[in-house]
Amino acid sequence: MRTRCDRERLVSDELRARRAALIEDGSRQGRALCRALSEVTDEWLRSVFASAVGAGSEGSVALVAVGGYGRGELAPGSDLDLWLLHDGSLEAEALAERSERLWYPVWDAGLKLGHAVLTPRQALALAARELDSATAALSVRHLAGDEALADDVASRAAGQWRKRSARFLAELRTRVAQRHERADEVAFLLEPDVKESRGGLRDVHALAWAHAARPVLLDGDADALDRAEETLLAVRVELHRATGRASDELVLERQDEVAAALGDPSADALMARVAAAARTVAWIGDEVWQRLASSLAGPLGRLSRRDRSLGTGLVLRDAEVHVEAGAPVEDDPSLVLRAAAAAARTGVPIDRSSLERLGAQARVLDGPWPEAARHALVELLASGRRAIPVLEALDQRGLVHRVLPEWEPNRSRPQRNAYHRFTVDRHLCEAAAHAAALTTEVARPDLLLVGAWLHDLGKGYPGDHTEVGIELMSKVAPRMGFEEDDTATLVDLVRHHLLLADVATRRDLTDHDVIEAVASAVGSLDTLELLAALTEADSLATGPSAWGTWKAGLVAELVERVAHVLRGGTAAEVTAGGFPDPEVRRLLAERARVIHGEGNVLTVVAPDRPGLFARVAGTLALKSVAVRGADALSAEGMAASRFIVEPGPGGLDWDEVATSVGLALDGRLALAARLAQRGARGRSQPRHAALLAAPRVRIDNHASASSTVVEVRAPDRVGVLYDITAALAELDLDIGLAKVATLGSEVMDTFYVRTAEGGKVLDRDHARELERAVLHRLER
């Protein structure tokens, strides 16, 4: 005879089997699967309730779902949040016994359970005190038992939420802002949390709660949020399916799998859809919380002055930019940009009805721009960060590509690498915002701003993005009304937007030919000035690893030397000096061994020997001292190196470092073994490893008159610089100069090398062996 436990176990097994069948059925996705899982779970819980509580008690007890389950959004890995409501007529012992008989089968089924046993008074008291309980009560859904009891709690909780809305909405707004600070944005993260990050599912729920308190959503918002939620929920469901657990972070390793499951042609296509959905949620949310802040502040917190004119057809009214009723939207091609510039200038949004009207009536600006449109664009971009939310509002109503049709292929386009933080379109807007802070440093701020906004426009198209961007700019700039000379400058900004950063971090700035080649490419001081500002703005907009004091210093040094040549000077006049400085030259002449660290610079002078540079680099790696840049040279049997470093978390003890470097130079430190042991202990793939390309080596015999230039790009790890330079030493190559750069999770290192005879690596077989040696070291 079966015991009650046996029967309950069979019931739990039945739920597991039915859930598994639904989850394995790939034809059910997103909301459809959530609802199916909710329905199966509802049915099962009703049978458990009937067995646990008994028919005789149904008049005084009700089982309700709350939270995500209450909304019918039960994803494969979701918790079950349940309240057992009772009217207080049951004895405490009987109530406890029956509730346990209700909860245990849920646990036996392997589900996570959040549960509470409450009277209506207790439930409403909790909902009156705590925000989490209040929002949970908004989703109360009857499952079994006394339906009137459940409906009464749901109705009274909703009324209580509206009555206490001022307090709860203020707290909710604060919590949303705090969560955004912790979790960043779904639209721009390489591995977004589709639930918690800004623009994610949690924001959709928060907006629904806010709307339940006060009608804060405008026409079309609910439908837009519903479509965005469907996209994000579908991704969340597939993540739960793929991982077998409650996973909400769309990690790189899962993106191809999720894309295939949802029918997207590629992970890029999936991430573009996710970004677009999240941006819609974030934009609506920003507007809602801004309106609520004004509402909660009361009449004194809102502007109620008379309309103030902001130009033809535009007025400032109640802290918003309005398009006047009689403004000829279809016949005024500058109106969209003028409205945007006015909003950015005054720091207020464009009124939603005006935005909708512009979206419905504004024409595509595919012909010559009126001068007012170009001036408005420059004014908009010049407002810096205040332009970004305005551009986002235009984008939400399709107005950016109405102004600039070439923009559309870049919209929400992911870059999917650990170096770039933003989608292509947002990167361009961020670059323009950073450029706005640099306009006082250039003679033509308008060219800097437009060049920054459009420098990567070619990324949305097939082919090399710079070449495509040149072609696009040569068409867009004249259409905007720029003169021929200005168009040529803008085209040059696109053509050379990577030039200064690449040369500064990868080439010998004491080489006359390098400086003269850059001067020849740039052509004029005005263009150099613009490129210097664009380089900084572009780097700052790329991500935290793309710009720092080391890179800024190298770019400034390059710009100064190129400017000297463009003013009529010679490269020789500015390339003398640098490394080695007179002090290092003196030490080289005295043939003394010196190991000296100060600040963030380590200088080593010692008798030259194969692998000397590698030994210093390996020692620094052992000491957790990150190398950010290095210079080296050798002459007449002596070698000198200068390492620009970043101390590890424990700080930097130069005496200890110098002692270890000395041991390594004397051959008394087993560097390879120690680095291998350290790497094995701390071995873990870098974040975003799936996007890191395999190591590659490029050998260039044209970049320098006297040396072979070896460029190495590889994933960063402990001892990577040691491995590269040890491979060069293995082939008896002398490092004359090194440029070491760590960008995010990758190294991009450049070495000027000569053979033992003092020449270039010109023999093809020798060059192939060089590449083989470096790759072997890096791929071990």
Side-chain angles (χ1 to χ4, degrees):
M1 174 178 264
R2 289 176 177 163
T3 65
R4 177 186 296 274
C5 288
D6 291 333
R7 290 195 298 273
E8 290 176 351
R9 191 171 295 109
L10 286 173
V11 171
S12 299
D13 289 344
E14 177 189 358
L15 176 63
R16 276 196 295 268
R18 293 183 68 183
R19 280 175 53 89
L22 286 172
I23 293 169
E24 290 171 7
D25 179 6
S27 65
R28 293 179 186 266
Q29 296 178 338
R31 190 173 283 137
L33 177 62
C34 291
R35 286 174 177 165
L37 287 172
S38 295
E39 290 168 2
V40 164
T41 307
D42 290 355
E43 182 181 344
W44 178 78
L45 281 171
R46 290 187 188 104
S47 67
V48 172
F49 179 88
S51 174
V53 178
S57 299
E58 289 186 6
S60 59
V61 181
L63 181 65
V64 299
V66 296
Y69 181 32
R71 295 189 298 271
E73 295 176 359
L74 194 62
S78 295
D79 298 353
L80 284 188
D81 291 317
L82 300 171
W83 287 356
L84 183 63
L85 300 174
H86 65 98
D87 63 2
S89 61
L90 282 174
E91 295 291 336
E93 184 177 342
L95 185 62
E97 177 188 352
R98 293 176 189 186
S99 63
E100 284 186 7
R101 287 165 57 187
L102 183 59
W103 308 142
Y104 271 101
V106 178
W107 290 321
D108 288 342
L111 300 176
K112 293 181 181 179
L113 175 65
H115 60 89
V117 180
L118 303 163
T119 64
R121 183 176 180 178
Q122 290 170 333
L124 292 168
L126 273 176
R129 292 195 307 269
E130 302 172 359
L131 178 62
D132 290 340
S133 297
T135 56
L138 292 176
S139 59
V140 164
R141 181 169 61 86
H142 173 261
L143 294 174
D146 188 344
E147 190 168 359
L149 188 65
D151 290 347
D152 179 59
V153 170
S155 175
R156 291 166 64 187
Q160 186 171 268
W161 174 255
R162 290 189 293 271
K163 184 178 179 180
R164 291 171 167 78
S165 63
R167 175 169 67 87
F168 277 139
L169 288 179
E171 184 179 351
L172 180 61
R173 178 170 171 263
T174 299
R175 283 209 199 173
V176 167
Q178 291 171 343
R179 177 167 47 79
H180 288 172
E181 289 181 5
R182 293 192 304 269
D184 216 324
E185 297 197 46
V186 171
F188 308 124
L189 288 168
L190 285 170
E191 296 179 324
D193 184 324
V194 296
K195 183 178 180 181
E196 297 293 340
S197 295
R198 182 172 183 265
L201 290 165
R202 187 72 78 189
D203 279 350
V204 177
H205 304 153
L207 290 170
W209 297 331
H211 192 62
R214 300 183 183 184
V216 294
L217 297 179
L218 303 181
D219 289 346
D221 284 353
D223 289 341
L225 288 171
D226 187 67
R227 291 191 296 270
E229 182 182 24
E230 180 61 56
T231 296
L232 298 170
L233 188 57
V235 170
R236 184 176 189 235
V237 164
E238 295 308 322
L239 280 171
H240 287 201
R241 264 190 174 130
T243 61
R245 57 186 176 85
S247 175
D248 299 323
E249 187 177 14
L250 185 51
V251 296
L252 292 163
E253 291 79 6
R254 295 288 183 185
Q255 289 175 10
D256 288 312
E257 181 180 358
V258 172
L262 294 177
D264 290 285
S266 66
D268 278 357
L270 168 69
M271 298 309 292
R273 281 204 305 122
V274 169
R279 289 170 71 170
T280 295
V281 174
W283 176 66
I284 292 174
D286 286 346
E287 287 211 332
V288 164
W289 300 121
Q290 185 177 38
R291 285 196 298 272
L292 272 175
S294 178
S295 173
L296 293 171
L300 294 179
R302 298 190 295 271
L303 292 179
S304 55
R305 304 172 185 169
R306 295 178 180 177
D307 290 355
R308 177 160 66 89
S309 175
L310 296 173
T312 304
L314 300 171
V315 294
L316 179 65
R317 178 185 304 147
D318 291 335
E320 291 179 321
V321 172
H322 288 250
V323 177
E324 292 186 295
V329 175
E330 293 186 36
D331 299 325
D332 186 349
S334 69
L335 187 58
V336 170
L337 287 170
R338 289 194 298 107
R345 182 177 67 249
T346 55
V348 300
I350 300 174
D351 158 65
R352 177 64 75 83
S353 62
S354 297
L355 193 64
E356 300 292 354
R357 185 177 164 205
L358 290 172
Q361 299 178 14
R363 295 180 177 178
V364 176
L365 201 54
D366 56 359
W369 285 25
E371 189 175 8
R374 187 177 77 255
H375 289 326
L377 173 64
V378 172
E379 182 184 1
L380 169 63
L381 299 178
S383 63
R385 300 212 63 79
R386 289 194 297 186
I388 292 178
V390 178
L391 285 165
E392 185 66 27
L394 297 185
D395 183 77
Q396 287 295 322
R397 290 301 176 262
L399 287 165
V400 176
H401 72 260
R402 203 84 61 84
V403 168
L404 187 70
E406 292 82 358
W407 186 266
E408 179 60 20
N410 292 290
R411 187 178 188 277
S412 296
R413 185 179 182 85
Q415 308 212 56
R416 296 192 77 226
N417 62 61
Y419 190 46
H420 283 87
R421 178 186 176 193
F422 295 109
T423 55
V424 174
D425 54 343
R426 181 59 178 266
H427 168 74
L428 292 172
C429 294
E430 291 282 339
H434 285 292
L438 303 171
T439 53
T440 57
E441 300 179 16
V442 299
R444 289 293 302 274
D446 56 334
L447 298 183
L448 172 61
L449 293 167
V450 173
W453 192 49
L454 300 180
H455 73 277
D456 274 343
L457 193 64
K459 283 190 172 180
Y461 298 80
D464 179 85
H465 85 277
T466 299
E467 294 300 321
V468 175
I470 290 170
E471 182 179 350
L472 291 171
M473 184 63 91
S474 66
K475 297 176 181 177
V476 169
R479 192 168 76 232
M480 288 180 170
F482 285 103
E483 299 292 339
E484 185 175 346
D485 287 349
D486 290 344
T487 295
T489 300
L490 287 168
V491 168
D492 279 344
L493 291 183
V494 175
R495 178 181 287 112
H496 299 308
H497 73 275
L498 299 174
L499 177 66
L500 298 185
D502 284 351
V503 171
T505 58
R506 302 184 196 179
R507 291 293 178 262
D508 181 3
L509 301 188
T510 65
D511 187 329
H512 303 177
D513 294 339
V514 168
I515 303 303
E516 288 171 358
V518 175
S520 176
V522 172
S524 73
L525 283 168
D526 287 343
T527 301
L528 178 65
E529 181 182 75
L530 289 167
L531 279 173
L534 174 57
T535 299
E536 181 174 348
D538 185 19
S539 298
L540 289 169
T542 295
S545 66
W547 190 254
T549 55
W550 170 73
K551 184 176 178 181
L554 289 176
V555 170
E557 182 180 347
L558 173 61
V559 168
E560 181 181 353
R561 294 180 179 188
V562 172
H564 179 81
V565 173
L566 291 173
R567 292 189 190 102
T570 67
E573 293 169 339
V574 288
T575 53
F579 183 81
D581 58 26
E583 176 63 17
V584 172
R585 290 184 184 278
R586 182 184 66 79
L587 294 171
L588 286 168
E590 293 177 356
R591 311 187 73 80
R593 188 172 97 165
V594 175
I595 305 168
H596 176 70
E598 184 175 348
N600 67 331
V601 178
L602 173 67
T603 302
V604 178
V605 179
D608 197 10
R609 60 181 298 175
L612 186 147
F613 188 99
R615 294 184 185 206
V616 179
T619 305
L620 292 174
L622 277 180
K623 295 297 180 181
S624 300
V625 179
V627 176
R628 294 298 176 229
D631 293 286
L633 65 82
S634 58
E636 299 180 359
M638 292 294 290
S641 304
R642 177 181 64 185
F643 291 80
I644 311 300
V645 305
E646 182 177 307
L652 192 57
D653 184 336
W654 276 124
D655 290 337
E656 181 182 336
V657 171
T659 299
S660 296
V661 169
L663 291 173
L665 296 184
D666 292 336
R668 297 170 56 193
L669 203 61
L671 284 173
R674 286 173 174 267
L675 286 169
Q677 291 170 354
R678 180 158 179 247
R681 286 196 302 270
R683 183 166 291 142
S684 62
Q685 282 195 323
R687 189 163 175 81
H688 314 315
L691 288 183
L692 297 178
R696 51 244 195 242
V697 177
R698 180 174 176 268
I699 299 171
D700 186 348
N701 276 308
H702 303 290
S704 169
S706 58
S707 301
T708 292
V709 176
V710 181
E711 295 182 343
V712 181
R713 187 163 185 167
D716 192 17
R717 58 170 171 76
V718 173
V720 65
L721 181 59
Y722 169 78
D723 281 335
I724 297 170
T725 53
L728 298 177
E730 180 185 353
L731 294 180
D732 288 336
L733 294 173
D734 186 33
I735 299 173
L737 182 138
K739 291 285 188 177
V740 180
T742 304
L743 302 175
S745 299
E746 281 193 307
V747 296
M748 299 173 66
D749 298 346
T750 304
F751 305 88
Y752 283 63
V753 301
R754 298 185 185 93
T755 64
E757 294 76 26
K760 293 185 179 183
V761 183
L762 297 174
D763 180 75
R764 288 187 179 181
D765 290 337
H766 194 182
R768 280 194 288 267
E769 289 303 301
L770 191 166
E771 181 181 8
R772 180 178 288 113
V774 173
L775 291 178
H776 172 71
R777 286 270 187 168
L778 294 176
E779 292 172 348
R780 291 191 300 183

